Amino acid sequence: MSKPLRGVSRKALDKIDLDLSDDVVADARPAQIDQMVVVPGEVLDTIKDVFAGTRVADDDALVGAVLEARRAVGQAWGKAGQATVEIGRALNALDLRLHGREERARLKAGFERLFPFSDPIASQFRKVAEAVDSGRFSVSDLPGSYSAAYQLALLANDELEEARKRGLVAPHTTRAAVLAFRRERARGGPAQIDLPGLMAELRRLREQRREFLNRLVQIRRRQQEISRLLED
């Protein structure tokens, strides 16, 4: 089953729907793409699907540019866990320097005037850094998403151990996966998964996505036609 490619932020991720394959196959392409050595075959199909009706789909150089951007994003995503911890440590160090409730209250009230995110998000960074510095898990185990890492940090020690056994304490883990695990633990047992139902839903979603892309191509073509008529 293909998995969605992880992005740099949760908001961006919600908009990305690239199918990846666990089976990596060699793909013969011109020099721009050959330098990638091996390319997940389904990724190339997805690129052509996403850019259907545009020059990108038939331009190997542009396909190579998409693959290069994908590689760069993947590398940055791999470093996101370290960045989360560094941000949290910096904020925790600042908190230690502030004296009394008044100074901390002032920081909270004016946080977004000083930093590029809100105080509630800052609390998540702090919690993750505390979990790492206390030895509960290592930076290399952190999910790329700070919100997923925060959800792991909220787990009790026995829950964290179970999550580790299930492979959830890992860079690829999503916030949704940890939340599902927490809901399962709250219910006191594993959730019953309707596999046939999920597979049927996945097929419907893929068909809807295909129809949407076809419609989008038609809209873009019509826009181009109208633009040319207006220019004439």
Side-chain angles (χ1 to χ4, degrees), residues 10-26:
R10 184 170 52 176
K11 182 177 180 181
L13 282 177
D14 291 339
K15 299 179 181 178
I16 297 178
D17 185 23
L18 298 183
D19 293 333
L20 304 179
S21 172
D22 292 331
D23 299 324
V24 179
V25 297

mmCIF file of all heavy atoms in Angstrom, residues 10-26:
data_model
loop_
_atom_site.group_PDB
_atom_site.id
_atom_site.type_symbol
_atom_site.label_atom_id
_atom_site.label_comp_id
_atom_site.label_asym_id
_atom_site.label_seq_id
_atom_site.Cartn_x
_atom_site.Cartn_y
_atom_site.Cartn_z
ATOM 1 N N ARG A 10 2.645 20.580 8.710
ATOM 2 C CA ARG A 10 1.400 19.832 8.714
ATOM 3 C C ARG A 10 0.420 20.408 7.723
ATOM 4 O O ARG A 10 -0.287 19.694 7.027
ATOM 5 C CB ARG A 10 0.800 19.845 10.127
ATOM 6 C CG ARG A 10 -0.472 18.998 10.229
ATOM 7 C CD ARG A 10 -0.904 18.832 11.649
ATOM 8 N NE ARG A 10 -1.012 20.112 12.327
ATOM 9 C CZ ARG A 10 -1.449 20.255 13.564
ATOM 10 N NH1 ARG A 10 -1.795 19.209 14.259
ATOM 11 N NH2 ARG A 10 -1.521 21.445 14.130
ATOM 12 N N LYS A 11 0.337 21.733 7.631
ATOM 13 C CA LYS A 11 -0.588 22.357 6.693
ATOM 14 C C LYS A 11 -0.236 21.973 5.268
ATOM 15 O O LYS A 11 -1.111 21.684 4.448
ATOM 16 C CB LYS A 11 -0.549 23.867 6.868
ATOM 17 C CG LYS A 11 -1.528 24.604 5.944
ATOM 18 C CD LYS A 11 -1.495 26.083 6.226
ATOM 19 C CE LYS A 11 -2.461 26.827 5.305
ATOM 20 N NZ LYS A 11 -2.419 28.280 5.542
ATOM 21 N N ALA A 12 1.077 21.991 4.960
ATOM 22 C CA ALA A 12 1.495 21.624 3.605
ATOM 23 C C ALA A 12 1.232 20.158 3.341
ATOM 24 O O ALA A 12 0.832 19.768 2.256
ATOM 25 C CB ALA A 12 2.982 21.946 3.419
ATOM 26 N N LEU A 13 1.445 19.322 4.362
ATOM 27 C CA LEU A 13 1.249 17.896 4.181
ATOM 28 C C LEU A 13 -0.184 17.562 3.812
ATOM 29 O O LEU A 13 -0.446 16.646 3.050
ATOM 30 C CB LEU A 13 1.608 17.173 5.488
ATOM 31 C CG LEU A 13 3.091 16.999 5.745
ATOM 32 C CD1 LEU A 13 3.294 16.352 7.089
ATOM 33 C CD2 LEU A 13 3.718 16.175 4.666
ATOM 34 N N ASP A 14 -1.137 18.302 4.415
ATOM 35 C CA ASP A 14 -2.537 18.034 4.149
ATOM 36 C C ASP A 14 -2.877 18.205 2.686
ATOM 37 O O ASP A 14 -3.876 17.691 2.210
ATOM 38 C CB ASP A 14 -3.424 18.957 5.004
ATOM 39 C CG ASP A 14 -3.323 18.594 6.480
ATOM 40 O OD1 ASP A 14 -2.928 17.465 6.781
ATOM 41 O OD2 ASP A 14 -3.640 19.471 7.299
ATOM 42 N N LYS A 15 -2.037 18.979 1.969
ATOM 43 C CA LYS A 15 -2.323 19.269 0.558
ATOM 44 C C LYS A 15 -1.554 18.346 -0.382
ATOM 45 O O LYS A 15 -1.731 18.388 -1.585
ATOM 46 C CB LYS A 15 -1.970 20.720 0.247
ATOM 47 C CG LYS A 15 -2.783 21.716 1.069
ATOM 48 C CD LYS A 15 -2.369 23.141 0.735
ATOM 49 C CE LYS A 15 -3.156 24.143 1.555
ATOM 50 N NZ LYS A 15 -2.736 25.531 1.286
ATOM 51 N N ILE A 16 -0.669 17.539 0.164
ATOM 52 C CA ILE A 16 0.174 16.693 -0.674
ATOM 53 C C ILE A 16 -0.407 15.296 -0.719
ATOM 54 O O ILE A 16 -0.728 14.720 0.306
ATOM 55 C CB ILE A 16 1.619 16.650 -0.145
ATOM 56 C CG1 ILE A 16 2.230 18.055 -0.215
ATOM 57 C CG2 ILE A 16 2.462 15.679 -0.951
ATOM 58 C CD1 ILE A 16 3.615 18.144 0.325
ATOM 59 N N ASP A 17 -0.543 14.729 -1.912
ATOM 60 C CA ASP A 17 -1.124 13.405 -2.018
ATOM 61 C C ASP A 17 -0.340 12.616 -3.048
ATOM 62 O O ASP A 17 -0.847 12.238 -4.087
ATOM 63 C CB ASP A 17 -2.592 13.515 -2.424
ATOM 64 C CG ASP A 17 -3.254 12.149 -2.433
ATOM 65 O OD1 ASP A 17 -2.762 11.239 -1.758
ATOM 66 O OD2 ASP A 17 -4.249 11.993 -3.141
ATOM 67 N N LEU A 18 0.954 12.428 -2.755
ATOM 68 C CA LEU A 18 1.809 11.704 -3.670
ATOM 69 C C LEU A 18 1.903 10.257 -3.241
ATOM 70 O O LEU A 18 2.152 9.967 -2.087
ATOM 71 C CB LEU A 18 3.223 12.310 -3.683
ATOM 72 C CG LEU A 18 3.298 13.764 -4.151
ATOM 73 C CD1 LEU A 18 4.748 14.205 -4.175
ATOM 74 C CD2 LEU A 18 2.693 13.916 -5.520
ATOM 75 N N ASP A 19 1.680 9.330 -4.178
ATOM 76 C CA ASP A 19 1.767 7.915 -3.853
ATOM 77 C C ASP A 19 3.210 7.454 -3.966
ATOM 78 O O ASP A 19 3.864 7.658 -4.977
ATOM 79 C CB ASP A 19 0.917 7.089 -4.827
ATOM 80 C CG ASP A 19 -0.558 7.392 -4.612
ATOM 81 O OD1 ASP A 19 -0.924 7.776 -3.500
ATOM 82 O OD2 ASP A 19 -1.310 7.236 -5.584
ATOM 83 N N LEU A 20 3.695 6.790 -2.917
ATOM 84 C CA LEU A 20 5.040 6.261 -2.924
ATOM 85 C C LEU A 20 4.953 4.744 -2.892
ATOM 86 O O LEU A 20 4.035 4.162 -2.323
ATOM 87 C CB LEU A 20 5.828 6.756 -1.701
ATOM 88 C CG LEU A 20 5.883 8.280 -1.553
ATOM 89 C CD1 LEU A 20 6.658 8.635 -0.300
ATOM 90 C CD2 LEU A 20 6.544 8.898 -2.756
ATOM 91 N N SER A 21 5.935 4.073 -3.422
ATOM 92 C CA SER A 21 5.956 2.623 -3.397
ATOM 93 C C SER A 21 7.134 2.140 -2.589
ATOM 94 O O SER A 21 8.199 2.739 -2.590
ATOM 95 C CB SER A 21 6.073 2.080 -4.829
ATOM 96 O OG SER A 21 6.268 0.685 -4.810
ATOM 97 N N ASP A 22 6.932 1.023 -1.842
ATOM 98 C CA ASP A 22 8.034 0.436 -1.080
ATOM 99 C C ASP A 22 8.989 -0.312 -1.997
ATOM 100 O O ASP A 22 10.106 -0.651 -1.604
ATOM 101 C CB ASP A 22 7.482 -0.529 -0.023
ATOM 102 C CG ASP A 22 6.717 0.217 1.059
ATOM 103 O OD1 ASP A 22 7.055 1.377 1.318
ATOM 104 O OD2 ASP A 22 5.796 -0.387 1.634
ATOM 105 N N ASP A 23 8.518 -0.630 -3.208
ATOM 106 C CA ASP A 23 9.359 -1.349 -4.164
ATOM 107 C C ASP A 23 10.091 -0.351 -5.029
ATOM 108 O O ASP A 23 9.502 0.323 -5.861
ATOM 109 C CB ASP A 23 8.510 -2.267 -5.050
ATOM 110 C CG ASP A 23 7.782 -3.313 -4.219
ATOM 111 O OD1 ASP A 23 8.380 -3.774 -3.234
ATOM 112 O OD2 ASP A 23 6.644 -3.650 -4.557
ATOM 113 N N VAL A 24 11.409 -0.242 -4.849
ATOM 114 C CA VAL A 24 12.206 0.711 -5.595
ATOM 115 C C VAL A 24 12.757 0.024 -6.831
ATOM 116 O O VAL A 24 13.385 -1.017 -6.745
ATOM 117 C CB VAL A 24 13.369 1.240 -4.729
ATOM 118 C CG1 VAL A 24 14.205 2.208 -5.534
ATOM 119 C CG2 VAL A 24 12.807 1.916 -3.495
ATOM 120 N N VAL A 25 12.497 0.620 -7.987
ATOM 121 C CA VAL A 25 12.947 0.013 -9.225
ATOM 122 C C VAL A 25 13.777 1.010 -10.000
ATOM 123 O O VAL A 25 13.574 2.211 -9.931
ATOM 124 C CB VAL A 25 11.742 -0.436 -10.088
ATOM 125 C CG1 VAL A 25 10.941 -1.507 -9.363
ATOM 126 C CG2 VAL A 25 10.859 0.742 -10.422
ATOM 127 N N ALA A 26 14.733 0.474 -10.776
ATOM 128 C CA ALA A 26 15.559 1.344 -11.609
ATOM 129 C C ALA A 26 14.730 1.856 -12.769
ATOM 130 O O ALA A 26 13.879 1.158 -13.298
ATOM 131 C CB ALA A 26 16.765 0.555 -12.115
#
